[in-house]
Amino acid sequence: MRPDSVLLLWLAFIAVHDFRRRIVPNWLVLAGAAAALVQLSLGFQPVGISWSEALLGLAAGFGVLLLFYAVGVMGAGDVKFAGALGLWVGPTALAPIWIGGSLLAASHGILWLALQRWPLLPRLALLLANQHAPNDGPLATKRRARFVPYAAYLALATAVWLIWGRQR
């Protein structure tokens, strides 16, 4: 089993869960962080970073996205996921991953806004917003609607970086 297989599997779980539910559960973040620490301690770290780089990645991932959470534009699960992701990839890889994930998330948001303005494909707009058709029942939530699964897009950007980005 390749060392990056565990990371790719964790990223897949994060992406699927965030796309389907628009939430990143703590148990899934903690499982990924624990797996990163185990691989670091066993010397099977998939991107070859040291303990200090991993801890700097944790601090950078958590700290930078915490600012976005503080102003209310990002969920806490996204912030915790970014911290755990930093344990895996270190601080230097976070910049291209953030850029890629943010471009994907922005595309999602722009497409959703365009479909709100010009409702050519109403089912696609509902899918992007993670809502059901009106005849499926009302959505009764008190929390702010979160229609962009940012952690999922970070996970996809990380997988792309891991598979293709490091081959240069």
Side-chain angles (χ1 to χ4, degrees), residues 15-25 130 143 146 149:
V16 168
H17 204 281
D18 198 26
F19 273 127
R20 294 190 72 188
R21 300 209 171 191
R22 298 300 196 267
I23 191 168
V24 180
N130 194 34
R143 60 188 178 125
R146 184 172 169 252

Side-chain angles (χ1 to χ4, degrees), residues 65-125:
L65 292 190
L66 186 62
L67 298 172
F68 292 99
Y69 173 74
V71 296
V73 296
M74 188 166 293
D78 299 327
V79 176
K80 292 179 272 188
F81 169 69
L85 182 61
L87 275 174
W88 283 101
V89 300
T92 56
L94 286 177
I97 290 169
W98 278 332
I99 291 169
S102 296
L103 289 173
L104 290 169
S107 300
H108 179 116
I110 290 167
L111 180 60
W112 181 79
L113 288 172
L115 290 172
Q116 292 298 305
R117 185 169 177 110
W118 301 288
L120 300 173
L121 302 168
R123 291 210 182 269
L124 180 58

Side-chain angles (χ1 to χ4, degrees), residues 40-74:
L40 267 167
S41 64
L42 295 177
F44 293 129
Q45 214 288 328
V47 294
I49 61 172
S50 66
W51 275 95
S52 60
E53 290 174 303
L55 294 176
L56 279 172
L58 168 70
F62 188 83
V64 171
L65 292 190
L66 186 62
L67 298 172
F68 292 99
Y69 173 74
V71 296
V73 296
M74 188 166 293

